[in-house]
Amino acid sequence: MGVEFGLLGTVAAWDTEGASLPLGAPRHREVLGRLLIARGRVVPVGRLVADLWEDAPPAGAVGAVRTFVAALRRALEPGRPPRQPSRLLVTDGPGYALRAGREAVDAWRFEDTAARAAEAPPRSAVALWGQALALWRGPVLTDFPAAAWAAAEQARLEALRLDAIERRADALVATGAARDAVADLQAHVAAHPGREDGWVLLVTALERSGRRGEAEKALRHARRTLAGASGAALARVEARVLSSDASATEPAGAADGVWDRTAAAWDRSVPARSRARLHATAGLLRDLAVTGAEGLEEAREHRRDLVAAAETTGDTELAARIIGSYDVPAVWTRADDPDGAGELARSAARAAARLGPDGPPALRARLLSVVAVESRGDAAADTPPPRAADTSGVEAWRLRAERAAEEAVRLARRLHDPALLAFALNGAFMQSFATCGSAALRDGLGAELTRLAVDHQLPSHEVLGRLVRLQALAGLGDLASADAEAEEIDRLAHRNERPLARVFTSWYRALRTCENDGWAVARPHYTKVLTETADCGMPGLTRGAAVLVALVPAMRGDTLPDLDDFAGLDAGPYRPWLDPLLMAASGATERARHALATVPRPPHDLLQEALWCVLARTAAAVGHEGVLRRARDELAAAEGESAGAGSGLISFGPVSRHLRAADAALGAHEPSRTRPDA
């Protein structure tokens, strides 16, 4: 509805421009506050009367409540036509309910942002906790401090706020910014001296800032303030601060302390520029890539430098081992950094050529797996992709990548090396998109990878295998089996600290909602998942994803899209296929036909069926028979699948429906077949 509401301070409401709405007298604001804390549930009129007049309500109390509600409706929806029912503050049975989305209420946004912060790595968490705390304008429902109906919600939200202050400070300390946390923590313990965690964090932040004397003073103050109420946490930090043993100044977590001491020992013991450092860095980058968005971005950034450093040693086998060590499971078929992926694929191919066919077979299999994985989509293309209407043969680079995948799997099977085979199967998955309609093939690959990973305790590759199956099952329309995979993926991701897996299950659940309940129901789910996964560290997945979502209603129907749905959206890598469709939708038929004549064929990836459907819809609309026939021929192999659903992101409905539409359009254009296409 465009209206936003405030509970974190005075009761307030703002319009789409951020201007405060005139809510009227205190009783009006009290009714709004009471409905807001009901969180969309119906509050009976009798309950409102009892809450507003805690003693004896006046004789006209029910009528007064109705008057307050009517005034609020006028304030919240000033443009609503007379006698049209309110869509925001609704009458429901015996009472009223406020139908506001979670993003429209500051308290609910605070909770959602705090939940994201709690699962984020420290650096991201600092920013998220800051965003959550910035929503507070004052105490909860500060204009109704003594209202009994507000007491429980006031206490709950205040407890969450205090926890957020402490967790933000904890994240600052963890990122080495302890000095930045001190001032807020000093104010925090002054306002809430009974919170032991606040004192522990203040002492720790002071100590890490090099202010040992102030840390000891804060400890003494905490002991006096808490008296007999202090616990083990304060005792531990006290022992650490007061100990003269340097090792006692380690971070509060035992694992952090071991890490710090081991890293220091490594720096002291291992010579600079040694091969051991290259090998250790490769292992660290591999582990870093699965820790979350920040870790993945850091690993991607430094991997190229590591490979370059290994190649400059002149040691062919060392370089090959470094290149082949990055067996991080990869599930999305569009590279996050296409140029970098192409470079890595070429580096791996060069290393394999230098080793020759008689080189160590396990190392050769690893290098070939790198070629297959990094050549996903069109990342390793060394020539421009052919036009969509061009029916020429397979590009040479794609044949090399497919053969690399086949040989890697053959070598790994011969060597009976489970981890190596898992890596090779990942490459086979990336090269399984030679034609449309490969969901059944991918389901088989995912099933084999899952069994292999379960049998040999390879948790990251088990997650990969199940994600591959989830996508394939969605493409095949077996949503019940895909649901089971999604549940198991979430369980594995939690147990093995693989947060990025949930990005894919979140998208899948939005897709499933669309398939089961329709676009109208799925739309808010997609809005939420687009927001939540925007910073997941996988631009190959997220860039342009909003455009794919915006295409869903038109592509699931029989119309051209509404241009307004795409205003302000970044089409990213999908622009070559989107632009002709939008030209057709705007009535620019000749421009659309000209664009279709030069548009490249869709990449061989998880969205190729969806993009061929987009081309078919455009070609049918503007009469470009060449592209329409090519799209129809490509899609024929996927007749039993759902267009795009194999991505796990979106579905344009059954491919069979798009094929029927293409056949109908071709039949309608039959008399004009002798006319050359534009």
Side-chain angles (χ1 to χ4, degrees), residues 216-366:
E216 293 177 358
K217 183 178 178 181
L219 265 173
R220 291 192 295 272
H221 193 175
R223 281 293 186 200
R224 289 195 303 271
T225 302
L226 296 172
S230 63
L234 189 65
R236 283 195 299 270
V237 76
E238 182 175 27
R240 188 180 74 237
V241 170
L242 299 181
S243 172
S244 59
D245 182 357
S247 67
T249 62
E250 69 185 26
D256 289 340
V258 172
W259 171 272
D260 285 352
R261 295 196 302 275
T262 304
W266 175 268
D267 282 336
R268 290 193 303 269
S269 307
V270 180
R273 296 181 296 278
S274 67
R275 285 166 169 73
R277 283 185 179 256
L278 287 173
H279 283 296
T281 303
L284 185 60
L285 289 180
R286 183 179 59 229
D287 292 340
L288 183 63
V290 298
T291 60
E294 287 191 9
L296 179 59
E297 290 173 346
E298 293 276 4
R300 188 164 57 239
E301 178 182 343
H302 298 302
R303 182 186 176 198
R304 190 187 305 187
D305 294 338
L306 177 66
V307 169
E311 288 184 317
T312 60
T313 65
D315 185 329
T316 298
E317 189 164 325
L318 171 66
R321 291 188 184 284
I322 295 299
I323 295 168
S325 66
Y326 195 83
D327 55 358
V328 176
V331 69
W332 191 244
T333 49
R334 181 178 288 279
D336 295 319
D337 174 13
D339 291 340
E343 285 182 24
L344 287 164
R346 288 187 285 275
S347 293
R350 285 196 303 269
R354 289 179 185 133
L355 287 175
D358 298 325
L363 188 51
R364 181 173 176 78
R366 284 192 166 275

Side-chain angles (χ1 to χ4, degrees), residues 361-428:
L363 188 51
R364 181 173 176 78
R366 284 192 166 275
L367 291 169
L368 293 171
S369 296
V370 172
V371 171
V373 170
E374 298 302 337
S375 298
R376 68 187 87 176
D378 286 341
D382 49 17
T383 56
R387 297 176 180 181
D390 185 355
T391 58
S392 58
V394 181
E395 299 116 285
W397 72 268
R398 281 194 50 240
L399 281 175
R400 292 195 296 269
E402 290 170 11
R403 289 168 182 165
E406 292 168 1
E407 186 179 353
V409 171
R410 179 180 60 78
L411 287 170
R413 291 194 195 284
R414 193 183 80 195
L415 293 168
H416 304 288
D417 183 332
L420 182 58
L421 180 56
F423 190 17
L425 289 173
N426 197 169

Side-chain angles (χ1 to χ4, degrees), residues 46-73:
R47 180 72 264 167
L48 284 170
V49 168
D51 286 340
L52 267 62
W53 292 277
E54 294 178 13
D55 298 328
V62 170
V65 167
R66 290 173 177 156
T67 299
F68 302 154
V69 168
L72 283 171
R73 284 171 169 164

Side-chain angles (χ1 to χ4, degrees), residues 4-5 98 142 206 257-258 496 541 578:
E4 294 188 358
F5 299 93
L98 191 73
T142 190
L206 287 166
V258 172
N496 296 288
L541 171 71
L578 176 69

